[in-house]
Every structure is written in C-alpha cells, then in structure tokens.
Amino acid sequence: ILSALPVSAEDTNSNQVSFQSEIAPLLQQHCAACHVEKEKQGGYSLQSPKRMLAPGDSGATPIVPGSGDQSELLRRLTTQD
C-alpha cells in the first residue's frame, strides 16, 4: 500500500524527512489496518496517494502539501487527545 508511493526529489535531500523511509513505515505499522479501502474507518483511506489527499467523514483536508499546520492528518497524529 504505502510502499508504492512515489519518492520525490525532496525525499532524497538529507535535510528533508523521507516519506518512504520515515513516514510510510509509521503509517503502515500504526494506521493502515484501520484506514484501507476494506475498513476505511472515519471514511479515510491510506490506500493510495490520491486517497490520502481526499477528506474522510470529517470533511477536513487531511494533507495540505507544504502546510503541516493546515493538515488534519498531522493534527490528528500529534494531538494529545
């Protein structure tokens, strides 16, 4: 699922976080079981990059490229709630 996501030029820059080696494994380990097409809890899917950009049931934009503070996915992953 997540291992098929494309690697961008930013992923190879040593100053950048690598989605492929740092983020995807975390999502695979902690999130994918409940957020794939078969389950899709909260209406949100990690099945493909296109689906990861689509809002779930909340209607909030999950990923805003370059704007972590506007990305619902990041907010939910880092909240203490």
Side-chain angles (χ1 to χ4, degrees), residues 8-75:
S8 71
E10 290 180 351
D11 290 334
T12 59
N13 184 334
S14 63
N15 294 328
Q16 297 290 323
V17 172
S18 169
F19 181 85
Q20 222 36 35
S21 66
E22 298 177 73
I23 306 300
L26 292 172
L27 294 175
Q28 187 71 40
Q29 182 180 7
H30 299 287
C31 308
C34 297
H35 294 283
V36 292
E37 288 307 302
K38 185 177 179 183
E39 296 291 324
K40 212 161 109 173
Q41 288 185 5
Y44 186 67
S45 175
L46 296 169
Q47 193 72 34
S48 70
K50 182 179 178 181
R51 297 214 191 276
M52 287 178 70
L53 294 172
D57 293 345
S58 73
T61 304
I63 299 171
V64 179
S67 296
D69 60 329
Q70 295 177 17
S71 299
E72 182 67 9
L73 180 60
L74 183 59
R75 186 193 71 75

